Amino acid sequence: MSRFGAPGGVHGAGGAEPNPLRELPKPPVAILVEPQLGENIGMVARAMGNFGWRVLRLVRPRDGWPSAKATATASSARAIVENAQLFETLDAALADLTLVYATSARKHDLVKPVIGPAEAAASACGHLSEDDQCRVGYVFGREAWGLTNDEVALCDDILTLPVDPQCASLNISQAALVCAYEWRRHASQTMGRTSESDQLPLGAADRGPLATKAELIAFFEHLEGLLDERGFFHPPEKRDRMVRNLRSIYQRPQLTAQEVRTLRGVLASLDRVHERS
């Protein structure tokens, strides 16, 4: 995995201009799952650069990496492509994130909030203001068939663009462009707020840092391992769906790192009691 370095500026049609979001330390991360075409990766990077996103993560790009086509298509956002981070699994790509959106136009057999790009942008900006450790990610699926149910289950919300159902298919770069635009628009509107009451939801400052996806996934694996040992997942053919539902339940409240540690302590304690009985 390459390390991300600060890319050069990206200019719009009107030439260079100061970045009004320069004080916002961590714009969202874009994650592409098994992208198929280098040109699409480059166009996503270009859309990101247009609206101030800088970190691009790739999960197993189909045609390998680096990609000359991606670099050429990225135009003045080449630095984003050149510093893209590579991952073997989506779990690893999400490990340090605390709020993740799964962009999808398909129906999924999951109980998750379904929101639009403007609502996601508002939620992302509020989330980033909660704590210095918070980090937001937008996950984009394969060009041909998007994201699997298991991949969506790792995310907090499903983000769907309000497209015409007669022509619902979007290129991933188009989806990224809309999401990044809405984020920058909302962030520009909220940058002038200075009051803590404008920035933080009630009680957010007192809860402590939110759990990362890595901490949540470790908890999920702990819980699912114990449930496997107790024969909870029955019948076996329903296991995958039951696991996805359990993961959705524990992602709804946006648990803090301390809350996840407490839950794992509960599991360990119950496991010790079971072993003694």
Side-chain angles (χ1 to χ4, degrees):
M1 181 182 73
S2 62
R3 292 182 61 83
F4 183 80
V10 180
H11 307 316
E17 64 177 37
N19 178 8
L21 300 184
R22 61 189 179 275
E23 297 177 10
L24 192 61
K26 290 173 294 192
V29 174
I31 304 104
L32 309 188
V33 178
E34 296 182 357
Q36 296 168 272
L37 299 174
E39 294 91 337
N40 282 337
I41 298 172
M43 289 301 294
V44 168
R46 190 169 183 175
M48 292 171 60
N50 288 153
F51 297 105
W53 294 17
R54 294 291 180 261
V55 180
L56 174 63
R57 296 179 178 177
L58 307 175
V59 179
R60 296 187 306 276
R62 184 191 67 179
D63 296 335
W65 198 256
S67 167
K69 291 180 179 179
T71 302
T73 311
S75 186
S76 52
R78 288 189 186 92
I80 295 175
V81 169
E82 291 167 355
N83 292 286
Q85 303 170 346
L86 301 181
F87 296 85
E88 282 299 312
T89 66
L90 181 59
D91 290 21
L94 303 182
D96 62 331
L97 306 182
T98 51
L99 175 64
V100 180
Y101 303 114
T103 62
S104 178
R106 295 192 301 113
K107 291 184 178 179
H108 290 271
D109 187 21
L110 295 165
V111 181
K112 280 188 179 293
V114 178
I115 60 176
E119 186 180 352
S123 179
C125 290
H127 185 81
L128 289 166
S129 71
E130 288 183 22
D131 187 277
D132 288 342
Q133 302 304 312
C134 290
R135 198 162 197 186
V136 174
Y138 286 65
V139 180
F140 301 89
R142 305 154 187 84
E143 291 95 322
W145 47 280
L147 298 167
T148 67
N149 281 336
D150 287 339
E151 289 162 348
V152 173
L154 293 172
C155 304
D156 296 282
D157 297 339
I158 297 173
L159 194 166
T160 297
L161 275 63
V163 295
D164 188 320
Q166 299 301 315
C167 187
S169 177
L170 275 178
N171 182 276
I172 55 173
S173 64
Q174 295 172 316
L177 184 74
V178 173
C179 292
Y181 163 76
E182 286 290 355
W183 175 83
R184 184 178 181 92
R185 183 178 67 84
H186 189 86
S188 297
Q189 293 172 350
T190 58
M191 280 301 291
R193 296 180 183 175
T194 57
S195 169
E196 269 193 17
S197 62
D198 287 336
Q199 298 284 347
L200 298 178
L202 183 64
D206 300 326
R207 293 188 64 208
L210 294 176
T212 64
K213 288 298 178 183
E215 291 167 329
L216 281 170
I217 290 170
F219 164 67
F220 294 152
E221 292 173 346
H222 188 174
L223 173 62
E224 291 153 16
L226 293 177
L227 293 176
D228 273 325
E229 293 175 6
R230 309 298 189 270
F232 175 81
F233 297 115
H234 183 78
E237 59 268 22
K238 292 187 177 181
R239 184 186 188 281
D240 289 348
R241 182 175 180 180
M242 295 170 75
V243 164
R244 289 193 294 268
N245 288 338
L246 277 172
R247 292 187 173 199
S248 293
I249 290 170
Y250 283 104
Q251 289 188 102
R252 281 183 208 137
Q254 290 200 325
L255 298 169
T256 66
Q258 180 57 55
E259 287 167 343
V260 169
R261 288 193 292 271
T262 299
L263 286 171
R264 294 199 67 182
V266 169
L267 294 179
S269 177
L270 291 174
D271 194 35
R272 287 193 295 271
V273 170
H274 177 82
E275 290 175 350
R276 290 196 297 267
S277 62

